[in-house]
Amino acid sequence: MTYVSALVVLTLAFPWAGAAVARRLADRLPPRPACWTLVGAAVLLAAGTVAALVGLLHVPFLASLEHVSPARVLEAWPAAVPLACAAGAVLAVQSVLLLRRRIRHRSLLRRAWLAVDEGTGDGNLVVVAGTDVDAFALPGHRGRPGRVVVTSGMVRSLRAGEREVLLAHERAHLAGRHHVLSAAVDLVTVVHPAIRSLREALVFHLERWADEEAAAVVGDRRVAAAAIARAALAGSAHGRVTGYPLLSATSGPVPRRVAALLRPEPAPPRGGVRRAAVVVSAGSVVAAAAGAFAVAYGLHEYVEYAARQLIGAPSGCSVFWDWLGALSG
């Protein structure tokens, strides 16, 4: 049992490798598929981590179902109960952090909507008076549709063509429901620290997605690049700090975004070698998450097998479990 439990604990390291591969894969893809890749990887890796923790947590419970007393569990599997307690504590902390982060998201949305109520606008555009230089996509809230919020300071900082780029950028965030992707990844970062790097990468690719949509609207990639750069410079000096799930044109590594807009429009990987690299990378991320699920399920099966061996009941298991039982003692 010690070796099997150690294997489950080892699966908690899978997200470090999976996140690194997912980031590299996203850098090889156009912005839209890159975003979905990062979101999928974050959710899968988080789910695999939770599965491994639940697997460790319910070892004593499964043993009790097989009529093995807690004293016998401690005697036969001395690491099982401490690992179960540690897994339970981690799951409890994750639950509290998840709830706190969700409350913070909703609080931020409420404060943003209160600020919008003080602005004026037309359609889905709202201009808020003040010296702040900011612009962001405000998701819908309590039946109210989403809005593009721009401060009067930002309007004064940009030329007419650049304002068109900015509005197209923020409308792309609303149309693509990017706030949902942003919020989802921000929430699952509480599950494993490795997923935080995916959140940072997602911010960049979401902004790149909106940048490309804005460039398509104005029909000039250089104008789009200039608008993003000017908005970021103005916002860095006077802007307000926003957070998840709000998305602003001044978010992410702006120099990289501007450099990307000065290059040709991104295209999917072409050529057999590049496509194979993408497939292998995606398969590695899925395998990392699937491995955690498989090991957690294997632990469940092995606990039942080992418990029956302790009480002398027929195991009903395959030769594989007999061999694994002999290996782990």
Side-chain angles (χ1 to χ4, degrees):
M1 173 61 72
T2 300
Y3 296 115
V4 177
S5 300
L7 179 62
V8 178
V9 173
L10 182 62
T11 63
L12 299 178
F14 285 2
W16 294 107
V21 173
R23 293 195 307 271
R24 292 181 63 87
L25 174 59
D27 288 338
R28 289 182 167 85
L29 297 172
R32 185 193 298 260
C35 291
W36 285 109
T37 296
L38 292 169
V39 173
V43 172
L44 282 174
L45 295 174
T49 300
V50 172
L53 291 171
V54 171
L56 291 171
L57 174 65
H58 78 339
V59 167
F61 174 72
L62 286 178
S64 68
L65 291 181
E66 297 296 336
H67 307 291
V68 179
S69 67
R72 187 75 176 101
V73 171
L74 281 171
E75 179 185 351
W77 311 324
V81 173
L83 285 175
C85 292
V90 172
L91 286 168
V93 170
Q94 289 173 345
S95 300
V96 172
L97 292 176
L98 183 65
L99 179 60
R100 289 181 59 185
R101 189 152 296 187
R102 178 57 181 161
I103 292 173
R104 188 173 66 185
H105 286 181
R106 295 183 66 84
S107 175
L108 179 62
L109 283 178
R110 284 196 299 269
R111 294 199 308 270
W113 273 102
L114 287 175
V116 165
D117 290 338
E118 301 172 359
T120 60
D122 182 24
N124 69 345
L125 172 63
V126 177
V127 179
V128 179
T131 59
D132 291 336
V133 181
D134 200 8
F136 57 90
L138 179 60
H141 183 61
R142 293 185 176 179
R144 303 171 68 179
R147 296 285 190 270
V148 173
V149 182
V150 183
T151 63
S152 55
M154 179 65 83
V155 173
R156 290 191 298 268
S157 299
L158 302 178
R159 304 186 181 108
E162 294 169 343
R163 288 196 290 269
E164 183 182 358
V165 171
L166 182 70
L167 297 181
H169 176 102
E170 302 302 347
R171 283 170 176 150
H173 280 319
L174 290 179
R177 299 185 63 80
H178 295 174
H179 62 280
V180 175
L181 307 183
S182 173
V185 174
D186 187 49
L187 289 173
V188 299
T189 56
V190 305
V191 175
H192 198 289
I195 303 176
R196 295 172 189 168
S197 63
L198 297 184
R199 178 181 61 186
E200 297 167 1
L202 179 64
V203 170
F204 170 70
H205 289 286
L206 284 174
E207 296 302 331
R208 283 283 302 117
W209 183 350
D211 288 344
E212 292 297 330
E213 295 284 342
V217 168
V218 299
D220 191 325
R221 298 180 66 81
R222 288 188 173 275
V223 170
I228 297 301
R230 188 184 296 273
L233 288 174
S236 64
H238 307 287
R240 293 178 288 114
V241 177
T242 56
Y244 302 97
L246 304 182
L247 294 166
S248 171
T250 59
S251 301
V254 174
R256 286 180 60 195
R257 292 168 51 199
V258 172
L261 283 170
L262 294 176
R263 294 192 294 267
E265 182 178 354
R270 296 178 180 176
V273 175
R274 291 184 178 180
R275 289 180 179 176
V278 168
V279 171
V280 170
S281 299
S284 300
V285 176
V286 174
F293 280 104
V295 172
Y297 177 75
L299 176 63
H300 175 96
E301 294 294 313
Y302 181 71
V303 168
E304 292 185 352
Y305 163 80
R308 291 173 184 175
Q309 292 293 307
L310 284 176
I311 62 177
S315 66
C317 296
S318 65
V319 176
F320 170 76
W321 291 112
D322 291 330
W323 173 81
L324 186 58
L327 179 65
S328 63

